[in-house]
Amino acid sequence: MLIEIPETFILGAASSAWQTEGWQGKKAGQDSFLDQWYQQERFVWHEGYGPAVATNFMEQYGEDIELMKEIHLTHYRTSINWARFFTDYEKLIVDEEYAAHIDAVINALIAAGVEPMLCLEHYELPAYLLDTYDGWSSRYVVELYSKYAAIAFERYGDRVKHWFTFNEPIVIQTRCYLDAIRWPHEQNTKKWMQWNYHKTLASALAIKTYHEKGYQGRIGCVLNPEMVYARSSSKEDQQAQKMYDLFFNRVFFDPMIKGIYPEELIALCKEHDIYFDPAKEDLEVIQQHTVDFLGINQYYPKRVRAPRYQWNAEAPFHPERFYENFDLPGKQMNRSRGWEIYPKVMYDMANYLKENYGNIPWLITENGMGRENEEAFMDENGQVVDDYRIQFISQHLYWLLKAVEEGANCEGYMLWAFTDCISPMNAFKNRYGLVRIERNAARTRSLKKSAYWYRELIDERRLSYEELPLIL
């Protein structure tokens, strides 16, 4: 089956600053949350590999951009590392060496015909602000972020036309403070909700600045909603689905798109003593400064059922009080990553946005397949023959394009990732890139089979699709 891809549909790729840059040139005191976590718990990172070296993008960005040009990539999303952008986070003294690096990357991308998309925070909260003010617990940090955003817009807004305030703003506090599975392992559900709220407010303040200054572009946020499916049609399972959606999706969707929080969420937060006590004027900022568009990161579905057991009244409140995870028998798995593979999630998320959020403009800002031990798929010439990745992208793109054909306002697809890069804890264990990076001193780059396939997809604007079980 051949499917036509609209000419205006973006086919790009993504990464982030901390996952590519490495620490070359990083000054004392410029650690991010991720840097600090890596220093505190290096043992949890696969083979001890993490952000210290990453992919050496600081030195080798020119080579990577040449590869983008070779693949005919049209759009590239990355981030500014907030922790490296300043030498003083309160006086807002810019590190001119790092700022010049961002300038150089932007200019090189544009010269190569690649449209830059910049995110202001991709888990790069300065460790100083975490240590001094408890990070996003503090309203003052919201103000500092707002001022940082204004400086970034002023410096790069003449060339960068697509901005994102955050990447996956729910993730850090969910891992650290709700589930307490990552450093600093503090279980504090109220803090989790406070961080959710303050990031929403910080996003609105950045959007306010961007619009008031009249920049010729647009600004949104990259969210990672989970398309959540109930185990069955029973009203109990359906209620579990509704509650998961409320706490993990609508907690950002509603205020960022509609400008208001769901009344049911507010009532539950008050009932369980996790309310974030917003100031009236801050709620007005959120209401008046919603996103222009959205980035959606989408990898796997979430499946839930009604809880089978009574909640322990002595345990801290957790949204799991209202749902239980459901393990679908026979599901297709990426066993390298431990994630279910369900390509129709793209179609269902598109319809969810169309039906609930006014068909807001959006694009997939991350989707991809991580694979362990890709060396096993090298041919005699040393090229990774990643047919599994080609098939994964094809199946997800098929469902996304089907939704577009039916009226979904999705503008494109950004593959995670352009190159292999580190991920939290996973490090280089699973590789996601079109471009392979060796862990040698030169960080040698090479194009995988999928890179040539993606180039053809960009050039020909036709997707060949077969509904077959994935090659795993």
Side-chain angles (χ1 to χ4, degrees):
M1 186 189 307
L2 281 177
I3 298 150
E4 298 294 327
I5 302 174
E7 286 297 327
T8 57
F9 190 84
I10 292 168
L11 290 168
S15 195
S16 75
W18 79 267
Q19 289 170 283
T20 56
E21 284 176 350
W23 288 354
Q24 180 68 30
K26 183 164 73 78
K27 299 173 178 61
Q30 287 186 320
D31 286 340
S32 67
F33 157 75
L34 265 299
D35 296 335
Q36 198 169 53
W37 173 28
Y38 177 64
Q39 291 161 357
Q40 293 290 328
E41 291 190 339
R42 187 171 177 177
F43 63 90
V44 305
W45 294 70
H46 181 65
E47 297 181 351
Y49 200 86
V53 179
T55 72
N56 261 15
F57 186 76
M58 288 290 289
E59 295 89 347
Q60 294 178 238
Y61 70 87
E63 182 180 350
D64 284 346
I65 292 172
E66 280 300 311
L67 290 172
M68 293 180 201
K69 190 175 179 180
E70 184 175 346
I71 295 171
H72 302 171
L73 203 70
T74 60
H75 292 71
Y76 178 65
R77 178 179 76 92
T78 187
S79 62
I80 301 172
N81 191 329
W82 181 9
R84 297 191 64 173
F85 193 66
F86 296 106
T87 55
D88 189 308
Y89 305 106
E90 300 194 59
K91 295 179 182 177
L92 303 172
I93 298 173
V94 173
D95 183 331
E96 294 298 342
E97 290 180 2
Y98 183 76
H101 163 71
I102 299 297
D103 260 318
V105 170
I106 291 169
N107 292 338
L109 286 168
I110 292 170
V114 181
E115 181 86 12
M117 295 177 156
L118 282 187
C119 186
L120 292 167
E121 203 259 30
H122 193 125
Y123 311 162
E124 294 126 350
L125 171 72
Y128 168 85
L129 299 180
L130 186 63
D131 295 341
T132 309
Y133 300 107
D134 202 23
W136 293 105
S137 302
S138 169
R139 178 64 173 74
Y140 179 56
V141 169
V142 174
E143 289 297 329
L144 292 176
Y145 169 89
S146 177
K147 293 174 181 177
Y148 152 54
I151 294 169
F153 299 151
E154 183 179 354
R155 288 188 175 235
Y156 311 120
D158 59 329
R159 288 155 290 158
V160 177
K161 307 302 180 185
H162 308 277
W163 290 88
F164 299 102
T165 54
F166 290 93
N167 176 82
E168 301 183 348
I170 199 171
V171 166
I172 295 298
Q173 61 268 25
T174 299
R175 301 290 184 265
C176 298
Y177 303 121
L178 182 65
D179 297 332
I181 58 173
R182 290 184 183 170
W183 181 86
H185 307 287
E186 175 189 345
Q187 205 298 315
N188 188 330
T189 308
K190 188 164 187 174
K191 180 185 285 192
W192 173 69
M193 188 56 72
Q194 190 74 47
W195 278 44
N196 289 339
Y197 164 65
H198 274 156
K199 288 185 180 182
T200 298
L201 176 59
S203 183
L205 286 168
I207 291 167
K208 179 177 185 287
T209 297
Y210 189 81
H211 288 160
E212 287 180 349
K213 293 291 185 180
Y215 293 104
Q216 298 302 303
R218 59 182 185 168
I219 183 166
C221 186
V222 173
L223 300 178
N224 59 311
E226 293 174 275
M227 193 64 225
V228 55
Y229 300 91
R231 177 193 64 148
S232 77
S233 59
S234 76
K235 68 178 190 300
E236 294 83 5
D237 284 348
Q238 292 295 313
Q239 179 65 13
Q241 183 271 341
K242 177 183 173 184
M243 296 301 281
Y244 189 92
D245 187 52
L246 180 69
F247 274 100
F248 293 99
N249 296 337
R250 295 182 62 195
V251 65
F252 281 103
F253 272 144
D254 279 41
M256 285 191 169
I257 301 171
K258 297 181 176 180
I260 55 172
Y261 280 92
E263 291 182 7
E264 185 178 3
L265 180 64
I266 297 298
L268 286 166
C269 287
K270 290 179 177 178
E271 179 184 348
H272 296 285
D273 193 29
I274 61 167
Y275 191 47
F276 40 87
D277 300 314
K280 180 182 177 182
E281 56 269 27
D282 287 343
L283 288 180
E284 289 173 354
V285 169
I286 290 170
Q287 186 170 23
Q288 294 166 12
H289 302 286
T290 53
V291 293
D292 298 331
F293 74 129
L294 280 178
I296 299 291
N297 293 351
Q298 199 72 188
Y299 290 95
Y300 51 83
K302 178 72 178 182
R303 300 188 187 274
V304 298
R305 61 178 295 167
R308 291 171 289 177
Y309 311 105
Q310 184 174 353
W311 185 257
N312 177 7
E314 301 301 316
F317 174 76
H318 190 293
E320 282 184 347
R321 181 185 182 121
F322 302 112
Y323 68 88
E324 184 180 319
N325 294 325
F326 173 61
D327 188 12
L328 179 69
K331 64 184 182 296
Q332 188 171 216
M333 290 290 293
N334 177 354
R335 291 182 176 81
S336 289
R337 193 66 181 92
W339 288 347
E340 180 182 349
I341 298 173
Y342 185 64
K344 189 174 177 284
V345 73
M346 308 293 263
Y347 179 82
D348 292 339
M349 179 54 65
N351 285 328
Y352 175 93
L353 291 171
K354 185 167 65 172
E355 293 165 8
N356 295 291
Y357 296 102
N359 212 13
I360 184 172
W362 63 283
L363 70 158
I364 289 292
T365 35
E366 286 185 28
N367 172 256
M369 186 181 189
R371 188 64 194 248
E372 189 174 353
N373 190 28
E374 283 203 321
E375 295 78 10
F377 299 92
M378 281 185 174
D379 64 14
E380 63 276 10
N381 299 314
Q383 183 187 67
V384 174
V385 182
D386 52 344
D387 291 318
Y388 44 86
R389 180 166 293 110
I390 293 169
Q391 196 178 9
F392 180 96
I393 298 169
S394 296
Q395 292 190 6
H396 285 77
L397 258 180
Y398 165 77
W399 283 105
L400 189 61
L401 291 166
K402 180 177 172 63
V404 170
E405 189 177 80
E406 294 177 10
N409 200 6
C410 178
E411 300 177 345
Y413 175 92
M414 308 284 286
L415 177 69
W416 187 269
F418 178 66
T419 67
D420 292 339
C421 60
I422 59 167
S423 298
M425 301 202 309
N426 173 58
F428 264 112
K429 181 182 179 184
N430 295 320
R431 293 171 176 266
Y432 284 85
L434 297 171
V435 177
R436 178 175 171 83
I437 296 184
E438 305 297 339
R439 281 177 50 185
N440 54 23
R443 296 297 180 269
T444 307
R445 272 80 162 145
S446 61
L447 298 184
K448 301 176 188 179
K449 180 180 178 180
S450 59
Y452 297 100
W453 172 83
Y454 205 59
R455 180 174 68 186
E456 184 176 348
L457 195 70
I458 292 167
D459 291 348
E460 300 298 327
R461 315 299 296 183
R462 287 188 185 89
L463 173 68
S464 178
Y465 172 72
E466 288 183 276
E467 191 169 349
L468 297 171
L470 275 170
I471 302 166
L472 299 171

